[in-house]
């Protein structure tokens, strides 16, 4: 095989690590089976969207939320930012926090739409191939 | 390799690649946002904000679509490769470790031999090496062909 194989995830070495991994496998495998039986190929898309949502909220939303707690302010929109002092830190922090929340939604939506577009064109290609072979 | 293992590996690779592309998209979004912020000075009009939202969604969607199409193409080519290797292995098992086999059109095995993978030569070279007359192979009827298979494979190795 010429394709490079990336290494598999690190196996845990400690006793508790192994136990935790076995436990997680016990949970994740039934969920995976149920999901794929119920939704078929859609399960993969759903799973990846949930994964994206978790990653994005960890990267973008949680830091913003912590920042708001530290600054003691509630930034809900760009109009709030403009009311802050030009020379204060809050104005810039506000833009980043509101912008991050903004990104969270459009990246999530964009990726979901992109996935469906890719699935659609895959479907169309496979349909064409099937028609061509018959 | 068991099929479940391969599935898991590809899921893991997929998740890793997906995360990397997510980071890339976030970085691009920040760069774009800062550019727009500098241009408008923070005074977003409803139109510019909705334009930013739509353009951002479209760009992310297009990028993700292309990435996934490329990924599925790569995966299908890897799949084909794996299948080819598997067929090769099965053939080897079926013919008991024989690498080369020349069949007469009427179904008689003319030549069976084990050649090492490192060597590579054309059919003519191989025949010359193993001392077979080319016209013996081209003979039309089976009765005329008498090739001692065992001796041939011994002479090569």
């Amino acid at each position: 095989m010429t394709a490079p194989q990336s290494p598999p995830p690190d196996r845990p070495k400690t006793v508790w690590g192994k136990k935790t991994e076995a436990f997680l496998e016990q949970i994740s495998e039934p969920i995976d089976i149920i999901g794929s039986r119920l939704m078929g190929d859609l399960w993969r898309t759903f799973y990846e969207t949930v994964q994206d949502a978790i990653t994005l909220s960890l990267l973008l939303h949680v830091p913003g939320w912590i920042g708001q707690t530290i600054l003691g302010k509630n930034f809900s929109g760009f109009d709030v930012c403009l009311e802050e002092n030009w020379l204060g830190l809050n104005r810039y922090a506000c833009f980043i926090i509101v912008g991050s929340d903004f990104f969270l939604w459009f990246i999530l939506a964009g990726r979901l739409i992109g996935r469906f577009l890719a699935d659609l064109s895959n479907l169309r290609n496979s349909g064409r191939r099937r028609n061509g072979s018959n | 390799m068991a099929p479940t293992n391969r599935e898991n590996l590809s899921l893991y690779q997929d998740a890793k690649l997906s995360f990397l592309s997510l980071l890339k998209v976030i970085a691009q979004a920040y760069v774009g946002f800062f550019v727009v912020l500098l241009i408008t000075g923070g005074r977003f009009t409803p139109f510019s904000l909705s334009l930013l939202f739509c353009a951002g969604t479209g760009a992310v969607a297009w990028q993700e679509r292309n990435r996934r199409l490329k990924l599925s193409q790569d995966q299908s080519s890897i799949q084909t490769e794996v299948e080819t290797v598997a067929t090769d292995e099965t053939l080897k098992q079926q013919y008991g470790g024989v690498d080369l086999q020349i069949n007469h059109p009427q179904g008689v095995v003319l030549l069976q031999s084990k050649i090492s993978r490192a060597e590579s030569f054309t059919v003519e070279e191989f025949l010359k090496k193993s001392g077979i007359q080319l016209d013996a192979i081209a003979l039309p009827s089976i009765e005329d062909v008498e090739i001692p298979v065992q001796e041939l494979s011994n002479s090569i190795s």
Side-chain angles (χ1 to χ4, degrees), chain A residues 1-10 32 44-45 47-48 51-52 55-56 59-60 78 82 86 91 95-96 98-100 102-103 105-115 117-119 121-122 125, chain B residues 1 7 9-19 21-23 25-26 29-30 33-34 37 41-44 49 52-53 56-58 60-62 64-69 72-73 75 78 81-82 85:
Chain A
M1 205 193 286
T2 51
Q5 274 201 336
S6 81
D10 289 335
D32 195 38
R44 194 82 182 255
T45 309
Y47 179 79
E48 281 176 353
Q51 221 172 18
D52 270 1
T55 317
L56 281 168
L59 282 178
L60 297 177
F78 289 118
L82 289 172
W86 263 106
R91 189 187 176 98
F95 271 119
I96 290 180
V98 178
S100 293
F102 192 66
F103 297 161
W105 292 109
F106 85 65
I107 291 176
L108 203 59
R111 278 170 79 92
L112 190 58
I113 292 169
R115 240 163 244 151
L117 284 178
D119 284 350
S121 63
N122 269 339
N125 280 343
Chain B
M1 199 190 281
E7 184 80 29
L9 197 67
S10 110
L11 250 178
Y12 165 71
Q13 281 175 331
D14 208 37
K16 206 171 154 186
L17 289 175
S18 168
F19 177 65
S21 80
L22 191 64
L23 282 187
V25 163
I26 291 174
Y30 265 106
F33 178 66
F34 280 126
L37 205 61
R43 280 175 189 77
F44 291 108
L49 207 58
L52 190 67
F53 190 85
T57 311
V60 172
W62 193 248
E64 175 70 8
R65 175 190 173 272
N66 290 342
R67 187 183 77 85
R68 289 190 72 82
L69 282 182
S72 64
Q73 272 170 8
Q75 265 177 356
I78 289 172
E81 211 171 322
V82 167
V85 170

Side-chain angles (χ1 to χ4, degrees), chain A residues 7 10 24 29 46 50 73 77 91 112 117 125 128:
Chain A
D10 289 335
L24 284 180
E29 209 179 52
F46 173 72
V50 171
K73 299 219 169 187
R91 189 187 176 98
L112 190 58
L117 284 178
N125 280 343
R128 201 177 295 152

Side-chain angles (χ1 to χ4, degrees), chain B residues 103-117:
Chain B
N103 290 316
H104 191 274
Q106 290 177 22
V108 178
V109 177
L110 285 181
L111 175 66
Q112 260 190 344
S113 182
K114 197 162 170 50
I115 44 174
S116 81
R117 277 292 155 114

